[in-house]
Amino acid sequence: MRGIKFLLFSAMVTAVGLQAQQKAYDWITQSSSSFRIGPGYNSGVAVYNPHGWEAIHVRLDIEARQPVTVGVVRLEDWNNAVRHPGKLSRLDYACLTEEVTRITYSCNFYASNISRVVVVRDARPTEQTVVTGLAAPFVHNGLSATVANEVRVTPYEWECVSNCSLPDPPQFAWVDLRKEVYEVTRELKSYGPFTPQQDESELRIRIKAQTPMTVAVVPSNMADKLLANNEQAQEILSSSKCKQYGVQSSTLDCALQKDSGPMQVVLLPEAETRKKKKAEITISGEQCVANCVK
């Protein structure tokens, strides 16, 4: 019994030791900056550029004398709107927070290679639109003390604070494997093969079509059988564990098993089309994109 207790105690010490050896991260305050904006001003205040593929963690303390709206957009979209201000109203904001004067603002993104920018917009009504900040000059003229909105931004960085010499854990992200827009015909469309590296490997299929479609994930030998016997498609596809019928706009997630071998994504129309119809398909896989163990 004493030996068993000792083994249990050793196991607990080992577990605690392993936990203690993990990297630890925390928010670290950076230098603050202040600027003036007026009604109708849209200001890029912070850019987040991933190093390769990595998650982005946004955190800012924002204080404003007048209410502001805060959101995050893709840097590419922001730069395009700077050149063409008419597109500002069509920006797709993440984590949009409206009419605040004091906030600890946060917004998190899964691993990707997309740069983001935090945009602060003066919430006071106006017909005038002004773009300032990143990729655009700050406007210093024409703002009286009574009109100017004083804004103070204090950014944080998500940084390693202990055990920083240890390797980073693997990071996974959705990666587009195939993307195509094509004219629908009676013929079967087939994409792949996609070979899962481990059990429960995720495959995501996004479909937009102007006519109802059948989409399925099947073994490669079944896809060959479908190509040779298109008129028996419904019977052949009945054994597929991941399929949808009557699809025009949908997302299908399929978990693949390693012992299933190479898989194909097949797509075929459910009715004959006399007019030209188009379909768009995007196939994505969840893959390791950083710190991958080889």
Side-chain angles (χ1 to χ4, degrees), residues 5 17 21 36 51 74 91 100 104 116 133 145 150 157 169 194 198 228 231-232 245 261 265 269 273 293:
K5 286 184 177 179
Q21 290 302 308
R36 286 183 169 187
H51 303 288
R74 293 164 56 112
L91 286 175
V100 294
T104 296
R116 314 272 178 175
E150 300 282 350
E157 291 289 342
F194 303 103
Q198 59 187 13
E231 68 283 355
Q232 301 177 23
Y245 297 110
V265 176
T273 57
V293 178

Side-chain angles (χ1 to χ4, degrees), residues 266-286:
V266 295
L267 191 65
L268 67 158
E270 295 186 359
E272 185 175 351
T273 57
R274 297 182 179 180
K275 296 182 180 180
K276 292 183 179 180
K277 302 286 186 179
K278 289 188 176 181
E280 177 181 347
I281 181 170
T282 303
I283 303 171
S284 306
E286 195 174 25

Side-chain angles (χ1 to χ4, degrees), residues 4-20:
I4 294 174
K5 286 184 177 179
F6 177 76
L7 288 174
L8 289 173
F9 178 75
S10 298
M12 291 173 63
V13 171
T14 301
V16 171
L18 288 174
Q19 186 175 11

Side-chain angles (χ1 to χ4, degrees), residues 16-17 39 49 61 80 98 104 134 142 159 162 195 209 244 275 283 285:
V16 171
N49 291 311
D61 284 343
N80 190 30
E98 298 182 303
T104 296
L134 305 166
E159 295 181 352
S162 64
T195 304
Q244 281 187 1
K275 296 182 180 180
I283 303 171

Side-chain angles (χ1 to χ4, degrees), residues 78-128:
W78 169 253
N79 289 337
N80 190 30
V82 168
R83 294 188 294 269
H84 309 284
K87 297 183 178 181
L88 280 171
S89 61
R90 298 195 294 272
L91 286 175
D92 184 16
Y93 285 91
C95 306
L96 188 66
T97 304
E98 298 182 303
E99 298 193 13
V100 294
T101 56
R102 180 188 293 264
I103 186 175
T104 296
Y105 177 82
S106 62
C107 192
N108 298 308
F109 298 90
Y110 292 113
S112 73
N113 61 352
I114 299 172
S115 296
R116 314 272 178 175
V117 55
V118 180
V119 178
V120 172
R121 186 171 72 233
D122 192 294
R124 290 172 291 178
T126 180
E127 295 181 358
Q128 181 185 19

Side-chain angles (χ1 to χ4, degrees), residues 203 205 214-223 226 232-245 252-256 260 263-268:
L203 197 66
I205 305 109
T214 293
V215 58
V217 178
V218 300
S220 292
N221 60 351
M222 187 183 292
L226 279 167
Q232 301 177 23
Q234 299 302 323
E235 178 183 351
I236 296 171
L237 288 175
S238 62
S239 61
S240 172
K241 297 180 180 179
C242 193
K243 59 182 177 290
Q244 281 187 1
Y245 297 110
L252 176 64
D253 286 339
C254 299
L256 308 184
S260 299
M263 305 294 286
Q264 299 274 130
V265 176
V266 295
L267 191 65
L268 67 158

